[in-house]
Amino acid sequence: MTGFDSVLVVDWSAASRRAPKRPSKDAIWLGFVRGGVAQEPIYCRTRIEAEARIHALIAEEREAGRRLLATFDFPFGYPRGFARCITGSDDPLLLWEWLAARMEDSESGANNRFDVAEEINAAFDGPGPLWGKTHRDRWPGIPYDKKGIVFAEVSEKRKCDCAARTSSSCFQLCYNPTVGSQILMGLPMLSRLRRMEGVAVWPFEAWQNASVVLAEIWPGIIERAVKARMERGDAGMIRDREQVRLLALALSRLPAEALARMMTGLPPEAAEEAWVLGAEHAETLSALATDQDPLTPPPLRNDCFALPAGVEWTPVETALARLRAGLSPVVGQETLPVDAALGRVLAAAPVARRSNPPAANSAVDGYGFAGGAPEGAQDLPLVSGRAAAGVPFDGAVPPGHAIRILTGAALPEGVDTVVLEEDVRSDGTRVAFRGPVRRGANTRAAGEDVVAGTDLLPAGRRLKPQDIALLAATGVAEVALRARLRVGVLSTGDELRPLGAAAGPGQIYDANRPMLLGILDRWGHAPVDLGHVGDDRAALRDRLETAAGRVDAILTSGGASAGDEDHVSALLGEAGALGTWRIAVKPGRPLALGLWQGVPVFGLPGNPVAAFVCTLVFARPALSLLAGEGWRAPEGFNLPAGFAKSKKPGRREYLRARMRDGRAEVFKSEGSGRISGLSWAEGLVELEDGAREIAEGDPVRFLPFGSFGL
Ligand code: AMP
Ligand code: MG
């Protein structure tokens, strides 16, 4: 379990005064997003007020069964070794308790943090480590400035501060940033919140199944986005308010798997020092921290499904050409780490950050020297040491000398040729081998595969595992991707029963919906199950109504012709943007295409075989275009027919087929209710529109299911 339903971002404050009544900066701000929607940020004048609000929010989310990620902008831990000096234990949570037992706060903001800071400093030799105060003449145990403090027992920064490039130190109590004071005033609050039912602290506790997870963040991570927002906004805009709102939005938009990656695989220091959530993902989070869905393409044109004029039966090629011309990508963009990008579509061509190989290296285990070798027996003295992958030889190999070298090792200075281990004799001080050896033999040149700065893959590419390898090898850590195309699947028909339910005579199980959901998943889209509705126009309208905001396209099955109970076509007709395409195709025919509140709807036939074929032939290229992949047509090849058939003219036919012994066999029946033939088949035989007498052995076009991405 990794996803969250709501996200809270708390911008904490160490102020000793109550913040003004009118919302202003330097107070406490709570940014909150629930179900993807940003709420009005909450302004708190005191820490006590803020704690009460946070407490109430946690209780509310828990009550409603929503999982909450509650984040705070101050360190959850100190640099390694600090806790032990105070409490005698490395457990950071014991330090929380220690502080909670001492810190006093008040409605006016007055507090005893400098007294507690003095007590802390007393546990350390020399001045500090806590420093900075409001009065030179008070709290003698606290240095006025950082001068003279030696960070020997504990280092000044935590590992995550370096990783996230935060500018702050846990030890600075005064002057901005007052992170040191914020921790003292913040950890006691956290120690109270964590005692609430269902709350766990990341990464100190088992948080994976907790319903509320407390985590540290650093708002500076989305600085680029906040700056852009402030530049566009009016003078009255409050920076802190925008910051918490945008950060909460960004965190809520992170795909669950990307968030899970950010929360796991932390270095060991994090167990004591804590970690900044998203520390090394400033780009990813900044890209998501925006009010506009970044780069959302324009909506589809209302006439994108207009029918060709005056044609009664539209040939398949014409139908495809019209779909291709009328549709365009409808999904926005997001930036994600490469290891969360498998199966996703590139929005832009990634550029190699590094050449492959980055440096000239050896292709084999052997002995390296310079200049190749002429015909005849060779004998070279060996330099001591060796070059191995990841452990380069630093030094130069003199002319006329050789060096032991292993596969993948960078070529040392003075080496441009490698002779294979199997081809030499060596006593450890010399190597003997037989020439000629071509200069450059058994080496790989820097950049011989990919040169830094070149485009690696085209925009529109759906990333395969091997693409991830290419991106990783060339130093690309994040990629711009298309948002996943969300495709709803809805079945219609009074006769349909869901999987597992009882079915009376005259009823049948809904086979299309699980099939279509599975196909969409295979294609890398995000399938959305819209369930089943009976032959009832009002119910269908309601269902489409609720679906319109949640999906980018809809596949319905059944009710697509023009009969009494064919409500899909009737409803799309009412909406005004319908084309009921009578396509000259078998199996298939009526395909209702329309826009429902701007969302393209593919009204597929109810017969499972027809629904399947129409999905492959029409919906696949159309959906891939909507998803930003471009039009994807299947690749086929000719095979000798393993059957005979007399094909009538007038429409294109697709037969369930498979390849056996180099011939195309077809399923014993062409009935479009025969679902078993879909499992039997491994592809389709495509027969052109005209009439044709097919004898065994005649060439027919075979389209394997693999070429439809299945
Ligand atoms: P229709 O297009 O609604 O007239 O349906 C054509 C045929 O397909 C009828 O025999 C339906 O019972 C059948 N059918 C419709 N929807 C489904 C479905 N989801 N699963 C299986 N069969 C279906
Ligand atoms: Mg029906």
Side-chain angles (χ1 to χ4, degrees):
M1 187 160 81
T2 40
F4 291 91
D5 306 296
S6 13
V7 175
L8 171 70
V9 170
V10 177
D11 175 359
W12 196 240
S13 158
S16 304
R17 254 174 271 110
R18 210 175 154 85
K21 197 160 182 174
R22 230 185 77 184
S24 61
K25 68 181 184 70
D26 298 331
I28 297 175
W29 282 97
L30 315 185
F32 188 57
V33 171
R34 178 186 284 149
V37 181
Q39 318 281 309
E40 179 60 29
I42 300 168
Y43 174 71
C44 302
R45 297 180 64 193
T46 65
R47 284 177 293 272
I48 291 172
E49 179 190 348
E51 182 172 338
R53 302 294 290 257
I54 298 166
H55 193 285
L57 260 177
I58 291 178
E60 189 181 340
E61 296 308 285
R62 257 188 65 78
E63 201 123 300
R66 285 187 291 262
R67 191 161 187 243
L68 170 68
L69 175 64
T71 65
F72 299 81
D73 74 333
F74 55 83
F76 280 22
Y78 285 89
R80 228 175 185 175
F82 179 89
R84 176 168 289 273
C85 294
I86 310 294
T87 64
S89 158
D90 296 329
D91 180 356
L93 295 174
L94 275 183
L95 186 62
W96 289 24
E97 305 295 326
W98 189 93
L99 283 171
R102 284 163 179 76
M103 292 300 314
E104 290 159 20
D105 202 356
S106 68
E107 282 288 358
S108 71
N111 61 75
N112 65 340
R113 70 183 187 279
F114 290 109
D115 305 314
V116 175
E118 259 197 314
E119 189 181 344
I120 291 173
N121 275 353
F124 292 85
D125 301 331
L130 290 165
W131 61 273
K133 55 188 173 182
T134 47
H135 300 72
R136 262 192 196 278
D137 54 352
R138 292 173 63 182
W139 308 292
I142 304 175
Y144 190 70
D145 52 32
K146 203 167 97 177
K147 241 184 5 255
I149 302 177
V150 187
F151 290 97
E153 275 166 278
V154 285
S155 61
E156 190 181 2
K157 291 211 169 201
R158 298 174 300 157
K159 182 150 182 156
C160 65
D161 291 320
C162 303
R165 305 209 191 101
T166 62
S167 49
S168 50
S169 156
C170 295
F171 299 119
Q172 180 178 343
L173 296 171
C174 219
Y175 337 110
N176 273 326
T178 60
V179 174
S181 283
Q182 299 204 27
I183 307 180
L184 297 183
M185 303 309 301
L187 293 183
M189 163 191 62
L190 293 185
S191 86
R192 288 184 289 273
L193 294 179
R194 77 173 265 260
R195 281 188 217 117
M196 293 177 73
E197 185 74 22
V199 176
V201 182
W202 174 81
F204 300 150
E205 298 179 294
W207 54 273
Q208 277 84 350
N209 293 310
S211 52
V212 178
V213 176
L214 309 183
E216 176 185 339
I217 37 103
W218 182 59
I221 230 160
I222 57 156
E223 181 54 27
R224 176 168 76 73
V226 173
K227 207 167 148 224
R229 171 79 189 133
M230 296 307 289
E231 277 163 10
R232 277 202 318 277
D234 52 62
M237 195 183 269
I238 302 165
R239 188 189 166 82
D240 299 18
R241 178 182 179 282
E242 294 309 307
Q243 190 164 273
V244 293
R245 196 174 59 80
L246 291 175
L247 184 52
L249 261 180
L251 290 169
S252 75
R253 286 174 179 163
L254 267 182
E257 62 266 33
L259 181 62
R261 278 191 183 79
M262 290 183 188
M263 295 182 78
T264 49
L266 304 179
E269 287 83 354
E272 179 180 346
E273 298 185 339
W275 196 255
V276 174
L277 182 56
E280 281 153 317
H281 303 276
E283 261 319 300
T284 301
L285 287 164
S286 298
L288 296 175
T290 163
D291 286 304
Q292 295 123 339
D293 184 359
L295 303 174
T296 298
L300 296 173
R301 290 166 53 100
N302 230 354
D303 62 354
C304 65
F305 292 133
L307 280 168
V311 184
E312 221 209 325
W313 288 100
T314 310
V316 171
E317 278 320 316
T318 312
L320 290 175
R322 292 194 77 95
L323 277 178
R324 190 172 187 172
L327 299 175
S328 50
V330 294
V331 284
Q333 291 191 13
E334 60 188 354
T335 301
L336 281 188
V338 162
D339 56 2
L342 181 64
R344 299 288 302 272
V345 176
L346 285 175
V351 174
R353 305 273 298 257
R354 212 171 185 226
S355 294
N356 183 50
N361 65 86
S362 178
V364 297
D365 291 345
Y367 295 84
F369 56 98
E375 183 97 35
Q378 312 292 329
D379 185 350
L380 299 177
L382 278 176
V383 299
S384 66
R386 61 167 205 172
V391 197
F393 177 76
D394 63 356
V397 177
H401 287 64
I403 182 171
R404 174 76 173 135
I405 191 165
L406 302 179
T407 308
L411 298 185
E413 198 185 322
V415 173
D416 62 10
T417 306
V418 177
V419 57
L420 216 77
E421 176 171 280
E422 291 84 334
D423 296 343
V424 308
R425 289 241 183 106
S426 174
D427 63 358
T429 65
R430 309 187 68 80
V431 279
F433 56 93
R434 193 154 283 286
V437 181
R438 183 181 51 81
R439 178 192 195 134
N442 298 315
T443 65
R444 309 167 177 142
E448 70 174 26
D449 179 27
V450 178
V451 177
T454 52
D455 284 359
L456 291 166
L457 296 160
R461 166 88 166 186
R462 202 175 274 282
L463 293 172
K464 302 173 183 217
Q466 55 270 45
D467 300 332
I468 303 295
L470 175 63
L471 294 166
T474 51
V476 179
E478 295 186 334
V479 278
L481 299 171
R482 290 281 184 181
R484 233 188 255 275
L485 185 77
R486 300 161 305 168
V487 187
V489 175
L490 176 64
S491 293
T492 71
D494 284 338
E495 74 280 29
L496 299 182
R497 298 290 293 148
L499 264 175
Q507 293 187 311
I508 60 167
Y509 287 110
D510 181 355
N512 291 345
R513 191 153 45 102
M515 173 176 75
L516 295 172
L517 289 167
I519 290 175
L520 292 167
D521 186 55
R522 280 288 182 90
W523 287 345
H525 305 308
V528 179
D529 189 349
L530 300 178
H532 154 244
V533 287
D535 290 311
D536 170 349
R537 200 164 308 175
L540 180 62
R541 184 185 291 113
D542 273 2
R543 196 65 64 91
L544 290 179
E545 205 83 56
T546 51
R550 291 169 53 208
V551 296
D552 305 303
I554 298 175
L555 303 184
T556 68
S557 69
S561 11
D564 297 347
E565 301 296 346
D566 292 325
H567 299 290
V568 173
S569 43
L571 200 59
L572 291 177
E574 269 175 33
L578 167 80
T580 298
W581 293 37
R582 308 220 294 167
I583 302 176
V585 62
K586 182 185 171 190
R589 297 226 276 197
L591 189 61
L593 297 172
L595 281 187
W596 179 264
Q597 298 179 5
V599 177
V601 179
F602 297 79
L604 301 163
N607 272 312
V609 175
F612 180 82
V613 169
C614 286
T615 299
L616 266 53
V617 176
F618 302 105
R620 175 168 191 251
L623 293 176
S624 59
L625 198 54
L626 295 173
E629 278 181 89
W631 187 261
R632 299 193 70 172
E635 287 290 338
F637 48 88
N638 282 343
L639 283 180
F643 60 97
K645 179 182 163 77
S646 177
K647 182 190 172 294
K648 297 201 193 75
R651 53 183 176 164
R652 183 176 292 188
E653 288 189 21
Y654 291 96
L655 310 176
R656 279 150 283 175
R658 63 187 195 187
M659 186 168 87
R660 286 290 180 278
D661 303 324
R663 295 161 85 87
E665 291 181 351
V666 295
F667 191 54
K668 59 186 186 232
S669 160
E670 291 184 16
S672 69
R674 303 267 188 123
I675 299 178
S676 67
L678 291 178
S679 294
W680 175 92
E682 291 162 7
L684 299 173
V685 157
E686 182 183 57
L687 301 177
E688 275 314 311
D689 304 9
R692 190 175 159 196
E693 283 304 323
I694 299 159
E696 281 205 30
D698 287 355
V700 290
R701 191 164 172 72
F702 180 69
L703 305 168
F705 286 154
S707 82
F708 291 103
L710 291 182

